[in-house]
Amino acid sequence: MMSSEQLSYRRFGSDALWNFGSLAFLASAGIVLNVILGGVYGASVLGVFNVVFAIYIFASQFGVLGLHLSVLKVVSIEYGRPETPDLNNSVIIGAVLVLLISTTVSFLVLICVPLLQRVYEFDGFSTMLYCIVPGLWAFALNKYFLSIVNGTRKMRAFAIFQSLRYVFILLGTVVFLIFNADPNYFTLVISFSELILLFILFIFCFRTFPFKSFRCQFSLIQQHLRFGTRVFLSGVMGELNTRVDVLMIGAFLNERSVGIYTISVLIAEGLYQSVVVVRNVINPVVARSIADGTTEQLSVFLRKVSLGFSGLMIFGAAVCVLVFPYAVDLAFGDGGFEDAFWPLVALTIGLVVAAPYLPLSMVFSQGGRPTLQAGFTAFVLAVNAIFNLVLIPQYGIVGAGIATGLSYVFGAVMIAVIARREFGVRVWM
């Protein structure tokens, strides 16, 4: 059973504060990165980069095959308990599996570049995609190692590592600009950043789970693969859900439209990262509470979290919408990026309405129901894709914003209904 300290709202506040600090830095770094690409190289280069980045994020789910969620669940439940003889082995076996899988997926992406170039006939597309493949290999491993840090509830370290990724990207961007390099090679900055972060995370994680006590156990391999492959589709669909609007704009419209829409997505994703921060902090609590059967206590805790988080999202959304017209004029001038305003409004409305439940978007996998998690994610993706398919041809990038905003709301309703029915977790509904 969870201790009062583990369900402590004070501890949640401390963990969240560190990670919101990391979020502020990540959001600032993301804005700077997109302003540089859009301001220096134009909307078309920014659009190509974001299509490539969407493919990169999507492919990373195949590289990790859901094993980051498997290790997150195992470590969240077992770490710190007095008798967990298999925990060290489980962590190391999972890392070896991810290494093998990510290597295979990286080679497959290299093979598929010419095919993808036929779909996205943009200048520099294939070069950008080739250059990001080393980063894809490292990114999959980093997702796994960050899940270990998350599961041990070392949230200060987690926040620092998340920030380091963007520190390296910004430093790499500065070097890139100093040498006036070809923008088609910009994704090398992403690759180098992920490789450096991988080296640091490897050392940190294996100080906690050292090789010296490792024993290969086939049962643990089966456990990881069984859970990972069951939740894998959920991860793939979840990542695709965050990028389906960008990919469909690229397919239906053009790279310049992608570049403009990217600015609204950038702001909305900054807000959505608040969801990710809260979710990362509560995931270990949710997993152990459901395992221990203390869901009534968990519901009270989540109600407090939800109330404070919803107020934060309303404030953040209002600031973003009010400041956006002035900020985009200052950053880009007459580059056409002001057209991103109405998509931003649609996205932020959807986030605010869904805010009370979005941090619980991984409750099904953390509750040991990966198939249900996959079904939930498939539903949200289907809603998002259908709305985008209908609205983008009619309303362009505004239609994409409306479609994605509606998918947030539909997802929140599903979380509320299913979490209460399956686990007895009730926040408000």
Side-chain angles (χ1 to χ4, degrees):
M1 185 174 295
M2 298 200 71
S3 67
S4 60
E5 187 272 337
Q6 286 171 308
L7 275 179
S8 168
Y9 193 68
R10 181 177 298 176
R11 179 174 180 180
F12 166 81
S14 174
D15 289 346
L17 184 61
W18 271 89
N19 282 270
F20 273 116
S22 173
L23 167 63
F25 177 76
L26 265 60
S28 300
I31 290 171
V32 170
L33 184 63
N34 280 269
V35 167
I36 290 172
L37 287 174
V40 175
Y41 301 115
S44 294
V45 170
L46 180 61
V48 176
F49 170 76
N50 278 283
V51 170
V52 169
F53 194 72
I55 294 169
Y56 164 79
I57 295 295
F58 177 62
S60 72
Q61 287 294 327
F62 289 86
V64 76
L65 202 67
L67 299 186
H68 64 304
L69 297 178
S70 176
V71 79
L72 173 61
K73 181 176 182 294
V74 170
V75 175
S76 295
I77 294 173
E78 302 297 334
Y79 184 73
R81 286 184 170 176
E83 296 181 5
T84 54
D86 292 335
L87 180 58
N88 192 79
N89 292 335
S90 182
V91 168
I92 296 173
I93 286 170
V96 173
L97 290 172
V98 174
L99 174 64
L100 296 173
I101 295 166
S102 64
T103 301
T104 303
V105 169
S106 297
F107 277 112
L108 290 175
V109 171
L110 286 173
I111 294 170
C112 290
V113 171
L115 177 63
L116 291 168
Q117 177 70 74
R118 295 182 181 181
V119 178
Y120 299 102
E121 298 177 342
F122 307 149
D123 291 339
F125 173 82
S126 59
T127 302
M128 277 199 181
L129 192 51
Y130 279 127
C131 290
I132 210 170
V133 169
L136 169 64
W137 176 81
F139 185 53
L141 287 160
N142 288 338
K143 286 171 73 74
Y144 181 84
F145 289 132
L146 282 169
S147 290
I148 295 173
V149 179
N150 189 183
T152 58
R153 293 203 71 184
K154 296 177 180 178
M155 300 310 296
R156 294 184 183 184
F158 186 83
I160 291 170
F161 292 138
Q162 292 277 50
S163 298
L164 278 178
R165 168 178 282 133
Y166 278 88
V167 169
F168 298 144
I169 289 174
L170 288 178
L171 290 175
T173 302
V174 170
V175 173
F176 195 84
L177 292 175
I178 289 173
F179 284 94
N180 195 27
D182 185 336
N184 293 333
Y185 293 94
F186 180 77
T187 48
L188 283 174
V189 171
I190 308 294
S191 291
F192 282 120
S193 300
E194 291 297 331
L195 289 166
I196 296 169
L197 181 61
L198 174 60
F199 176 74
I200 296 171
L201 280 171
F202 178 84
I203 293 173
F204 183 87
C205 289
F206 284 103
R207 289 180 63 187
T208 305
F209 301 100
F211 278 109
K212 63 182 181 181
S213 57
F214 171 67
R215 292 180 297 105
C216 184
Q217 295 175 260
F218 186 70
S219 61
L220 295 179
I221 296 175
Q222 287 183 310
Q223 175 183 311
H224 273 307
L225 290 176
R226 188 182 301 116
F227 188 94
T229 51
R230 286 166 65 194
V231 80
F232 158 70
L233 284 178
S234 174
V236 169
M237 291 182 290
E239 291 292 4
L240 183 57
N241 188 53
T242 65
R243 308 289 168 177
V244 67
D245 46 358
V246 170
L247 293 172
M248 292 181 77
I249 290 171
F252 283 114
L253 303 177
N254 52 60
E255 65 267 40
R256 188 174 186 277
S257 296
V258 175
I260 293 171
Y261 181 75
T262 293
I263 301 304
S264 61
V265 171
L266 173 68
I267 306 301
E269 283 191 349
L271 283 174
Y272 189 81
Q273 287 304 309
S274 302
V275 175
V276 176
V277 167
V278 176
R279 187 180 68 195
N280 287 338
V281 174
I282 68 174
N283 269 344
V285 179
V286 171
R288 190 170 291 188
S289 291
I290 292 175
D292 292 343
T294 57
T295 54
E296 289 187 13
Q297 188 180 3
L298 176 64
S299 296
V300 173
F301 169 73
L302 291 175
R303 200 166 295 128
K304 293 180 181 179
V305 172
S306 172
L307 188 62
F309 179 66
S310 296
L312 179 67
M313 288 292 285
I314 292 171
F315 175 77
V319 170
C320 288
V321 170
L322 291 173
V323 171
F324 181 81
Y326 305 100
V328 78
D329 182 63
L330 179 65
F332 300 106
D334 298 325
F337 289 98
E338 64 276 2
D339 292 341
F341 176 75
W342 289 111
L344 173 64
V345 171
L347 289 167
T348 53
I349 289 173
L351 282 171
V352 166
V353 173
Y357 285 93
L358 285 180
L360 278 172
S361 59
M362 287 176 61
V363 63
F364 310 119
S365 65
Q366 290 301 288
R369 302 289 299 278
T371 304
L372 184 58
Q373 183 76 48
F376 160 73
T377 311
F379 170 81
V380 176
L381 174 60
V383 169
N384 198 0
I386 290 170
F387 278 132
N388 271 285
L389 186 64
V390 172
L391 296 177
I392 288 176
Q394 294 293 322
Y395 303 105
I397 61 175
V398 177
I402 294 171
T404 303
L406 286 172
S407 74
Y408 294 143
V409 176
F410 275 83
V413 172
M414 289 293 290
I415 292 169
V417 172
I418 300 176
R420 181 180 180 183
R421 187 187 67 189
E422 296 295 327
F423 305 118
V425 175
R426 179 179 180 180
V427 183
W428 298 108
M429 294 174 60

